[in-house]
C-alpha cells in the first residue's frame, strides 16, 4: 500500500482510484470492503479521507435533506457544497500535496453512488451564491463526462 519515493526519500501513499471502475455503482459498504475497513461514521460524511491512501472521496447526494447545493454545471464540471464557511486547503491544494479527488454521485439516499473518476479542484472562478452560507467547490472531471454514464441523469445547476 505504500511505495518508497527514491527521488526525495519519503514514503508516499497509494491512490485508491486504481481499485475502482469508472461509472460503476458503489455503496459506502462496498467501498469499506475495498478499503478493508469497518463501516463507520466517517465514511457517511460528504468528504471522506481514507487513511493509507492519498485520496479524498466526494460523496454527493443531489436530492439531500440538508439542502446542500450539488450538481453539474457542464458535462465535465460539478459544483459541490462545502459544509463550512471555508474551503478545505487539503482539497483546494490537492495538486501540490499529490492527493487525488474522486467523485461519487447519487440522486437520492435510496441508491448507490456512481463513480465518475478522478477530478481536480478548479480555481477558475469563486463559486458563492447569494443568500447561501457555504462556498462551493468546482470539481472538474479529468477522464470522464457526465453524459457518458447510463443509469443516472444528473440535473444541471443554473447559477
Amino acid at each position: 500500500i505504500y511505495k518508497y519515493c527514491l527521488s526525495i526519500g519519503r514514503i508516499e501513499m497509494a491512490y485508491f482510484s486504481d481499485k475502482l471502475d469508472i461509472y460503476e455503482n458503489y455503496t459506502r459498504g462496498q467501498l469499506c470492503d475495498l478499503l478493508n475497513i469497518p463501516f463507520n461514521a466517517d465514511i457517511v460524511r460528504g468528504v471522506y479521507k481514507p487513511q493509507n491512501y492519498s485520496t479524498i472521496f466526494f460523496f454527493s447526494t443531489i436530492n439531500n435533506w440538508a439542502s446542500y447545493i450539488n450538481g453539474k454545471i457542464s458535462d465535465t464540471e460539478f459544483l459541490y457544497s462545502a459544509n463550512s464557511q471555508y474551503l478545505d486547503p487539503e482539497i483546494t491544494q490537492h495538486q501540490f500535496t499529490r492527493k487525488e479527488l474522486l467523485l461519487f454521485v447519487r440522486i437520492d439516499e435510496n441508491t448507490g453512488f456512481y463513480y465518475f473518476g478522478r477530478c481536480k479542484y478548479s480555481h477558475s472562478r469563486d463559486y458563492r451564491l447569494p443568500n447561501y452560507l457555504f462556498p462551493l467547490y468546482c470539481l472538474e472531471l479529468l477522464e470522464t463526462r457526465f453524459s457518458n454514464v447510463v443509469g443516472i441523469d444528473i440535473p444541471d445547476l443554473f447559477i
Side-chain angles (χ1 to χ4, degrees):
I1 206 164
Y2 295 103
K3 59 183 178 182
Y4 187 72
C5 184
L6 294 174
S7 62
I8 47 181
R10 65 184 170 101
I11 295 177
E12 290 185 355
M13 290 185 281
Y15 293 124
F16 190 73
S17 61
D18 297 336
K19 297 178 179 255
L20 301 172
D21 293 318
I22 298 291
Y23 305 131
E24 281 297 312
N25 191 295
Y26 294 96
T27 65
R28 285 185 169 113
Q30 289 170 318
L31 292 170
C32 285
D33 291 344
L34 290 171
L35 286 162
N36 199 25
I37 62 169
F39 190 88
N40 61 51
D42 290 336
I43 200 161
V44 176
R45 296 182 182 149
V47 175
Y48 177 65
K49 301 172 184 177
Q51 293 182 353
N52 302 326
Y53 290 96
S54 192
T55 301
I56 300 172
F57 292 34
F58 282 86
F59 292 109
S60 174
T61 304
I62 301 297
N63 301 324
N64 60 77
W65 59 269
S67 299
Y68 289 130
I69 295 174
N70 299 316
K72 67 178 179 170
I73 56 172
S74 76
D75 202 26
T76 59
E77 291 179 306
F78 190 85
L79 290 185
Y80 183 91
S81 179
N83 63 357
S84 76
Q85 293 184 351
Y86 304 99
L87 296 176
D88 182 339
E90 192 172 9
I91 294 168
T92 60
Q93 302 297 315
H94 75 95
Q95 291 169 310
F96 300 109
T97 59
R98 303 182 79 185
K99 296 254 184 190
E100 68 175 356
L101 306 180
L102 306 182
L103 180 61
F104 296 84
V105 181
R106 66 182 178 180
I107 296 297
D108 57 42
E109 294 183 8
N110 298 317
T111 63
F113 291 89
Y114 284 88
Y115 171 56
F116 284 94
R118 295 181 311 115
C119 53
K120 70 176 184 174
Y121 172 74
S122 175
H123 301 271
S124 61
R125 192 169 137 200
D126 184 23
Y127 288 96
R128 291 189 182 264
L129 301 176
N131 302 318
Y132 188 68
L133 182 62
F134 304 124
L136 300 168
Y137 294 101
C138 181
L139 303 175
E140 184 180 339
L141 298 175
L142 296 175
E143 302 143 341
T144 59
R145 296 187 171 287
F146 291 113
S147 59
N148 290 346
V149 70
V150 175
I152 185 173
D153 185 26
I154 299 174
D156 290 317
L157 280 180
F158 297 101
I159 59 169

